[in-house]
Amino acid sequence: MIKILLPLGLAFIMFSLGLGLKLADFRRVMTRPDAIALGLLAQILLLPLTAWLIATGLNLAPEAAVGLMILAACPGGVTAGMVTHLARGETALSISLTALTSIAAFITVPLIVGASLTHFMGASASVQLPLGQTIGGLFLITLLPVALGLWLSESERIGVRHAVVIHRIATGLFLLIVLFTFASQWPAMATHFPSVGPAALLLNLITMGTGAALGALVRLDGAGRVALSMECGMQNSALGITLAISLLAEPALAVPAVIYAFLMNITAFAVIAVRRMRHQPVAG
């Protein structure tokens, strides 16, 4: 049941984000190829490099090191768009980067994970993402719901009041998904947090800071910098767990992704709180 409800919930969240966007938002993103390029650079190169430096510098156990690298190889998570929206960031930029990094993952994930297994564990393995499942998930959970919401927004087929209700339901669903993740993964987190938690937190904070710094480098406004920061910090932990357990048959490699999923939501909520306090509507 969860395997059905969770994707449906994520698709509804993406649909609600599409309702809040216009084609002009994506056209504006396309006028900033430097922001797209830096976002891809941060996700594909800088994030795995950061994870390697942390794993090496903290002398992590081989399984933990490879697990951290698997996580860093994964593209941005679907919920990055929702977090960006709640933090009053540039949602269209976040969604665009999620789609692009998910496509690039077919090449980058096997390379990074294979090299990590060889370097840290002396093991060789052929890692390939399940093509049909990954493309189908990207289309059905991300692109199609956003496109439907965008079409309804452009054609004004849904009134403002209904859109507000849908946004509120989507926010509630997002919170439920986060709480479910915490509850279901709590035993693994409690057991392994002392050894893996500091590395996961360090990776999260550095990558979020890297995204914000790169946005400042190309003079993006605050909303754009938030989008890059969230896109770098909110990894597709579910994919990392699937890679470790299903494809590599090594549950121990999933531990960093489990812990990171917990920590990235904590730091994301902190960013949301700060951004919303700074951008409260003026009364009167």
Side-chain angles (χ1 to χ4, degrees):
M1 182 66 71
I2 293 298
K3 290 184 178 180
I4 297 175
L5 293 179
L6 185 58
L8 287 176
L10 292 173
F12 185 82
I13 289 170
M14 299 310 292
F15 168 70
S16 75
L17 294 180
L19 281 179
L21 296 170
K22 296 288 185 182
L23 283 173
D25 296 320
F26 288 96
R27 293 194 192 102
R28 185 173 61 251
V29 168
M30 292 302 106
T31 64
R32 296 302 307 266
D34 51 353
I36 294 288
L38 285 178
L40 292 174
L41 172 70
Q43 280 283 98
I44 294 172
L45 294 178
L46 298 184
L47 204 157
L49 177 60
T50 302
W52 182 83
L53 291 172
I54 290 172
T56 302
L58 296 182
N59 196 27
L60 292 182
E63 291 83 1
V66 173
L68 198 70
M69 293 301 299
I70 290 174
L71 173 71
C74 292
V78 174
T79 53
M82 186 62 177
V83 170
T84 299
H85 167 73
L86 293 175
R88 307 195 192 281
E90 191 168 353
T91 309
L93 176 58
S94 176
I95 293 173
S96 299
L97 284 171
T98 295
L100 291 173
T101 55
S102 296
I103 293 170
F106 289 104
I107 298 174
T108 58
V109 168
L111 291 175
I112 294 170
V113 175
S116 301
L117 284 166
T118 301
H119 179 76
F120 289 107
M121 298 181 68
S124 60
S126 177
V127 182
Q128 291 185 341
L129 292 181
L131 185 64
Q133 179 182 346
T134 307
I135 291 180
L138 176 64
F139 179 73
L140 293 176
I141 296 177
T142 303
L143 301 181
L144 183 60
V146 169
L148 178 59
L150 184 62
W151 175 69
L152 291 173
S153 175
E154 284 285 336
S155 60
E156 298 182 350
R157 293 175 183 267
I158 287 186
V160 175
R161 290 178 60 187
H162 291 94
V164 169
V165 171
I166 290 173
H167 283 309
R168 288 176 178 171
I169 294 173
T171 302
L173 275 175
F174 171 68
L175 293 174
L176 285 175
I177 289 172
V178 172
L179 290 174
F180 171 77
T181 301
F182 289 175
S184 63
Q185 303 297 337
W186 184 256
M189 287 190 293
T191 301
H192 299 282
F193 194 90
S195 59
V196 181
L201 180 60
L202 196 57
L203 178 64
N204 178 250
L205 294 177
I206 290 176
T207 52
M208 287 176 64
T210 299
L214 290 175
L217 183 66
V218 293
R219 298 182 180 180
L220 289 180
D221 59 12
R225 294 197 297 271
V226 166
L228 284 185
S229 179
M230 293 298 100
E231 197 63 31
C232 290
M234 300 292 291
Q235 290 300 99
N236 192 338
S237 299
L239 176 58
I241 294 170
T242 300
L243 282 172
I245 295 176
S246 299
L247 295 184
L248 298 174
E250 291 283 353
L253 302 182
V255 170
V258 170
I259 293 175
Y260 191 92
F262 170 76
L263 293 172
M264 74 179 185
N265 283 293
I266 297 296
T267 56
F269 280 120
V271 173
I272 290 170
V274 171
R275 287 280 297 175
R276 293 180 80 87
M277 283 190 295
R278 288 181 177 178
H279 295 83
Q280 288 183 351
V282 179

